[in-house]
Amino acid sequence: MKFKSTKEAWEFWTYYGGRTGFDVRINYENKSKDDGVITSARYVCSNEGYRAIDKRDHNTKRPCAETRIGCKAQIRITIDREVGDYSVYDLVLEHNHELQLPSTCHLMPSQRKISSLRAFEIETMDDSGIGPKAAHELASQQVGGSVNLGYTHRDLKNHLRTKRQRELMYGEAGSMLKYFQDKVAENTSFHYALQLDCEEQITNIFWADAKMIIDYAQFGDVVTFGTTFGTNKEYRPFGVFVGFNHFRETVIFGAALLYDET
């Protein structure tokens, strides 16, 4: 068996795992130091190997379920430099665990993927005011059931949170910065800070006015932070730093719009 690229080999292994009933993962892909070309690769069952001993286990109240039980199922490929394609030199298809039922194979992480067309439909329905649950049910009906959809309700919500809703719409960033600059011009004690990601997109936004700073200096011995106020339509959690004053009244020390709760 030969493949034109490692991508084709990985897609084959993923498709085979979905049809057979086991999840897959990449164990390694070796690259040449000379030209950066992948010379060999090993794709395995997700239950391959064993979990390393974690010294923090005694402090973990709810440890993750053990899934790696030494399964030997794998495919190994190596490059033929003269031709440029990849050949299989080791293939193990036996598993030491039960396989997924056909009715649940679509729930495995390797089988869940939102295509560009589905992503466009999800965002269009969201722009039209259709909620995530209703959007997922509608998409499932269009393809004859959730088994044929290729993603779950949680995947849909994550897509909205990561692909579209986290990004500020055109003009919003400039309006926000102008608002902060006006506040600084009114009172130099006003403070704000922005965090950017690797693509220089705004992620976290923090601000505190003069009263918040004074309150923090007086009553900042105990500070709590929470996002119990939920999220706005852009799915950005709104968090506040709060405490108590000498009248046991709640005072706010600062506020933040977050990329996510991490």
Side-chain angles (χ1 to χ4, degrees):
M1 185 180 297
K2 295 183 179 294
F3 302 100
K4 295 180 180 179
S5 64
T6 54
K7 180 181 178 181
E8 183 178 308
W10 170 247
E11 289 177 349
F12 166 80
W13 186 243
T14 303
Y15 176 81
Y16 175 76
R19 289 291 181 178
T20 306
F22 66 95
D23 206 8
V24 298
R25 62 182 173 85
I26 299 174
N27 184 247
Y28 65 76
E29 288 182 337
N30 291 326
K31 289 185 178 181
S32 171
K33 295 182 179 179
D34 297 328
D35 52 13
V37 174
I38 297 176
T39 57
S40 62
R42 179 177 184 241
Y43 307 133
V44 299
C45 171
S46 61
N47 291 354
E48 181 270 348
Y50 297 93
R51 182 190 297 172
I53 298 176
D54 193 337
K55 297 180 180 179
R56 301 170 297 175
D57 281 348
H58 66 282
N59 294 324
T60 304
K61 295 181 179 179
R62 296 180 179 179
C64 296
E66 182 60 73
T67 58
R68 301 181 64 175
I69 54 176
C71 182
K72 301 295 184 181
Q74 63 178 311
I75 182 173
R76 295 189 184 188
I77 59 174
T78 185
I79 193 173
D80 185 341
R81 283 288 189 177
E82 295 181 357
V83 181
D85 58 10
Y86 294 83
S87 302
V88 177
Y89 71 93
D90 188 16
L91 179 64
V92 179
L93 301 180
E94 293 77 20
H95 297 265
N96 64 349
H97 56 89
E98 295 183 0
L99 301 178
Q100 294 282 347
L101 298 174
S103 59
T104 60
C105 285
H106 68 286
L107 298 175
M108 295 186 298
S110 63
Q111 305 303 312
R112 289 153 48 186
K113 182 180 179 181
I114 298 178
S115 65
S116 57
L117 176 60
R118 290 296 178 189
F120 175 77
E121 292 177 349
I122 290 171
E123 294 174 7
T124 300
M125 287 188 284
D126 182 67
D127 292 338
S128 302
I130 301 176
K133 183 178 180 180
H136 184 263
E137 292 177 353
L138 177 59
S140 299
Q141 293 177 1
Q142 291 176 341
V143 296
S146 59
V147 177
N148 304 320
L149 189 56
Y151 60 88
T152 64
H153 178 223
R154 181 180 294 274
D155 295 330
L156 185 149
K157 293 179 66 176
N158 289 340
H159 174 79
L160 290 177
R161 187 174 293 116
T162 57
K163 295 297 183 181
R164 177 177 178 273
Q165 302 291 5
R166 284 175 175 176
E167 298 177 358
L168 292 175
M169 295 177 61
Y170 179 78
E172 288 185 349
S175 299
M176 178 187 62
L177 290 176
K178 185 178 184 304
Y179 172 81
F180 285 154
Q181 291 168 359
D182 291 342
K183 287 296 182 181
V184 173
E186 293 175 6
N187 190 328
T188 55
S189 295
F190 185 92
H191 174 77
Y192 71 93
L194 308 175
Q195 285 185 332
L196 307 180
D197 60 12
C198 60
E199 298 178 355
E200 296 191 356
Q201 297 287 331
I202 294 176
T203 56
N204 301 325
I205 307 161
F206 169 82
W207 68 93
D209 60 23
K211 184 178 183 304
M212 294 177 182
I213 296 174
I214 293 174
D215 287 341
Y216 177 73
Q218 297 293 325
F219 311 112
D221 295 333
V222 177
V223 181
T224 63
F225 176 77
T227 57
T228 54
F229 290 92
T231 60
N232 49 36
K233 64 179 182 180
E234 279 77 28
Y235 286 82
R236 282 177 172 265
F238 175 68
V240 289
F241 297 86
V242 298
F244 285 106
N245 60 17
H246 50 291
F247 296 113
R248 298 189 62 82
E249 296 174 337
T250 300
V251 290
I252 299 177
F253 302 139
L257 280 175
L258 307 176
Y259 185 78
D260 55 31
E261 292 191 357
T262 61

